[in-house]
């Protein structure tokens, strides 16, 4: 229970710092804090009614999931094309649906984050700031993450597929083409998109 509260505290803190909940609005009278953005505002208003608490939690959780996905896209692939960034998003989504990984986007992105240099995505456990500095790249990453959830709850990877990144539809792993990880030799290679090579575990028949 304590870990859960700590986790959500970190999520809210990050959202605040990244500007996803609050935004500063310059006015003639001086800088004032703008109203809470949707869906957080809706969630908080709904939470005042006992019957709507569950809906409020769902809305907040969805925003957190989008933010976690956008964070991974930003730190893992902001130098890639839009297709390449969407491909990374596919991998994260595929992991969240696999019994081998946590059942949520945030769980996948921050898996083992408490162990330095032993997490799934290096940005999560190397101690770097998780407040994006490139506003344009962050906005693009968040748009991709948001689009991914436009079809919820019946989402699949096809909302992200284009003629370039279809190779990553079933991928659960990727690595940059300037490294040669040993684990990659035991996996099925789907192809390369930008600087990332996408793979998935081999099936029982070796394919």
């Amino acid at each position: 229970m304590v870990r859960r509260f700590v986790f959500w505290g970190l999520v809210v803190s990050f959202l605040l710092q990244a500007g996803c909940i609050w935004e500063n609005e310059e006015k003639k009278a001086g800088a004032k804090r703008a109203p809470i953005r949707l869906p957080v505002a809706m969630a908080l208003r709904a939470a005042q009614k006992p019957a709507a608490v569950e809906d409020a939690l769902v809305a907040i959780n969805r925003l957190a999931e989008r933010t976690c996905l956008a964070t991974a896209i930003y730190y893992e692939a902001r130098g890639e094309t839009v297709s390449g960034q969407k491909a990374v998003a596919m991998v994260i989504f595929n992991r969240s649906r696999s019994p081998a990984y946590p059942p949520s986007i945030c769980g996948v992105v921050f898996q083992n984050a408490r162990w330095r240099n032993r997490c799934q995505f290096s940005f999560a456990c190397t101690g770097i700031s998780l407040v994006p500095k490139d506003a344009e790249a962050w906005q693009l990453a968040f748009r991709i993450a948001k689009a991914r959830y436009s079809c919820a709850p019946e989402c699949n990877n096809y909302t992200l597929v284009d003629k370039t990144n279809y190779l990553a539809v079933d991928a659960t792993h990727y690595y940059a083409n300037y490294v040669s990880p040993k684990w990659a030799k035991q996996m099925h290679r789907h192809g390369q998109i930008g600087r990332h090579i996408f793979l998935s575990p081999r099936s029982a028949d070796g394919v």
Side-chain angles (χ1 to χ4, degrees):
M1 183 62 71
V2 174
R3 289 183 179 179
R4 181 175 298 177
F5 279 111
V6 171
F7 171 76
W8 283 111
L10 291 173
V11 169
V12 172
S13 176
F14 173 76
L15 291 173
L16 285 168
Q17 295 180 66
C20 297
I21 292 181
W22 302 104
E23 63 177 356
N24 291 324
E25 188 178 63
E26 297 293 336
K27 295 184 177 180
K28 293 182 180 180
K32 294 183 179 180
R33 179 159 284 177
I36 300 176
R37 288 183 180 179
L38 296 178
V40 177
M42 294 176 59
L44 294 179
R45 286 198 297 270
Q48 297 174 4
K49 302 177 181 180
V53 170
E54 184 174 349
D55 290 339
L57 293 176
V58 169
I60 292 173
N61 181 70
R62 180 171 294 182
L63 178 60
E65 291 280 272
R66 287 174 175 170
T67 303
C68 287
L69 182 57
T71 301
I73 294 171
Y74 176 87
Y75 283 102
E76 292 287 301
R78 67 180 180 275
E80 297 293 314
T81 63
V82 172
S83 291
Q85 293 184 47
K86 289 180 178 180
V88 167
M90 290 184 202
V91 168
I92 294 169
F93 177 64
N94 286 339
R95 287 192 175 194
S96 72
R97 295 195 301 175
S98 169
Y101 298 92
S104 69
I105 298 297
C106 288
V108 167
V109 171
F110 291 99
Q111 184 178 12
N112 296 336
R114 65 186 183 279
W115 296 335
R116 187 173 181 81
N117 298 322
R118 292 178 61 187
C119 52
Q120 299 294 311
F121 301 97
S122 59
F123 73 87
C125 64
T126 53
I128 65 171
S129 171
L130 294 185
V131 178
K133 296 181 179 180
D134 186 332
E136 184 176 349
W138 168 254
Q139 290 170 4
L140 174 58
F142 199 83
R143 285 200 300 271
I144 293 173
K146 186 176 181 180
R148 170 67 191 79
Y149 282 88
S150 63
C151 56
E154 301 300 329
C155 290
N156 55 48
N157 273 335
Y158 298 111
T159 59
L160 299 175
V161 175
D162 59 39
K163 62 181 181 180
T164 301
N165 65 22
Y166 68 92
L167 295 170
V169 169
D170 298 317
T172 54
H173 294 71
Y174 64 86
Y175 65 91
N177 60 0
Y178 50 81
V179 298
S180 300
K182 294 180 179 180
W183 53 263
K185 298 178 180 180
Q186 308 300 320
M187 307 195 79
H188 172 68
R189 174 171 171 163
H190 294 287
Q192 182 171 339
I193 302 171
R195 302 181 72 177
H196 288 141
I197 297 170
F198 293 84
L199 316 93
S200 62
R202 293 184 182 278
S203 60
D205 58 5
V207 177

